[in-house]
Amino acid sequence: MVKSLPTFGQMEAEKVKLKQKEQKTQSMPTQFIVESLDFAQGSPPASLKASIIPESVEIVADGTQLQWEWQGEMYSINVDQLNVRLMDSVDPETYNPTEKVMRGQRFVRDSISVDPETGNIAVGVVLDYFAATSFSAVFIIDPQPGAYAIYRVQVPGSQPLPDEFSTYSLDTIDYVRFLEGDLLIKHGDASGTTALLVFKPANTPAMDYAGCVDLQIGESRSVCPKN
């Protein structure tokens, strides 16, 4: 099933229905392709989102599947179901920066964290690897009765992001952690430069960027967002 890119503000309407037949399609730069997603009007009632924390959250199937237990049922999501418009991808033929819709290639092990306050799951995902550079992103899974919602953690960059389905890339993700409601993401590049990004609670589980600090400087001057 292919849905056109939702308008701003419909992020909370994005829900994934389990056991839906997988359909394959080709993505276009001007159209956001969503596989096995259903857009409904509104979020589940608060009474349905009880403060039950997912259990047994782990990456399986050689890094291509995330699974968890919630309210006595098992759930899973394949990494290629996670997609995002990457603002600073690279054209493999010209090496020029380009905007590109990308799907997950594998989950980053040791990059899973569950927020003990909301039950949301944050996980790092590798989208591509090119010219000794990893292109990665962090997604947040919001467990819901019989389903789950997907949010993209938005890393800012040189230009404003056009919508909530876009982000600038992270390089190699070292870890992802919830800490007292905030989300911490440590990433670094091949030269040994590392940085810690902080995201704070917001109106949606995607959270808002709060700041970045370089932890170690290698050959690169910084891997903090260039905003």
Side-chain angles (χ1 to χ4, degrees):
M1 179 182 295
V2 178
K3 298 282 187 178
S4 60
L5 180 66
T7 59
F8 183 81
Q10 287 183 303
M11 189 60 188
E12 291 189 28
E14 183 185 29
K15 297 175 65 181
V16 179
K17 291 187 175 179
L18 302 179
K19 300 180 181 180
Q20 186 175 12
K21 293 183 178 179
E22 182 177 338
Q23 299 182 9
K24 296 183 178 178
T25 184
Q26 298 294 323
S27 60
M28 300 295 291
T30 57
Q31 184 179 32
F32 193 78
I33 305 302
V34 181
E35 187 172 278
S36 301
L37 294 185
D38 181 57
F39 298 97
Q41 296 299 319
S43 300
S47 60
L48 293 180
K49 299 183 67 176
S51 57
I52 298 177
I53 308 304
E55 300 177 344
S56 305
V57 184
E58 60 180 339
I59 296 170
V60 296
D62 295 327
T64 62
Q65 188 177 81
L66 177 71
Q67 69 177 23
W68 65 93
E69 182 179 353
W70 193 72
Q71 292 188 332
E73 296 186 20
M74 293 300 299
Y75 297 80
S76 67
I77 182 171
N78 294 328
V79 70
D80 60 3
Q81 290 178 258
L82 302 178
N83 49 26
V84 65
R85 178 181 287 113
L86 203 63
M87 304 303 294
D88 55 349
S89 181
V90 175
D91 187 321
E93 296 184 357
T94 65
Y95 280 65
N96 292 328
T98 185
E99 174 188 326
K100 186 178 181 181
V101 174
M102 304 187 73
R103 294 186 180 277
Q105 298 297 316
R106 63 177 176 82
F107 290 105
V108 181
R109 296 197 181 276
D110 301 322
S111 73
I112 309 172
S113 186
V114 178
D115 187 345
E117 297 181 8
T118 66
N120 292 336
I121 304 168
V123 61
V125 173
V126 175
L127 303 169
D128 197 7
Y129 183 81
F130 180 74
T133 301
S134 291
F135 295 88
S136 307
V138 173
F139 293 79
I140 291 181
I141 312 299
D142 176 14
Q144 299 175 5
Y148 48 82
I150 300 171
Y151 297 83
R152 295 137 185 94
V153 175
Q154 295 188 283
V155 177
S158 57
Q159 299 294 327
L161 296 172
D163 51 49
E164 66 271 40
F165 296 92
S166 304
T167 186
Y168 281 84
S169 69
L170 298 165
D171 203 315
T172 301
I173 297 175
D174 290 333
Y175 66 72
V176 175
R177 296 288 185 273
F178 281 108
L179 180 63
E180 297 181 352
D182 294 331
L183 178 65
L184 310 181
I185 302 172
K186 181 183 176 183
H187 82 121
D189 64 12
S191 79
T193 300
T194 60
L196 185 69
L197 286 74
V198 180
F199 293 81
K200 63 183 180 180
N203 293 330
T204 73
M207 312 187 77
D208 285 342
Y209 176 72
C212 178
V213 58
D214 286 304
L215 301 177
Q216 181 174 331
I217 302 299
E219 295 180 10
S220 303
R221 295 181 58 185
S222 174
V223 288
C224 281
K226 299 177 177 63
N227 60 334

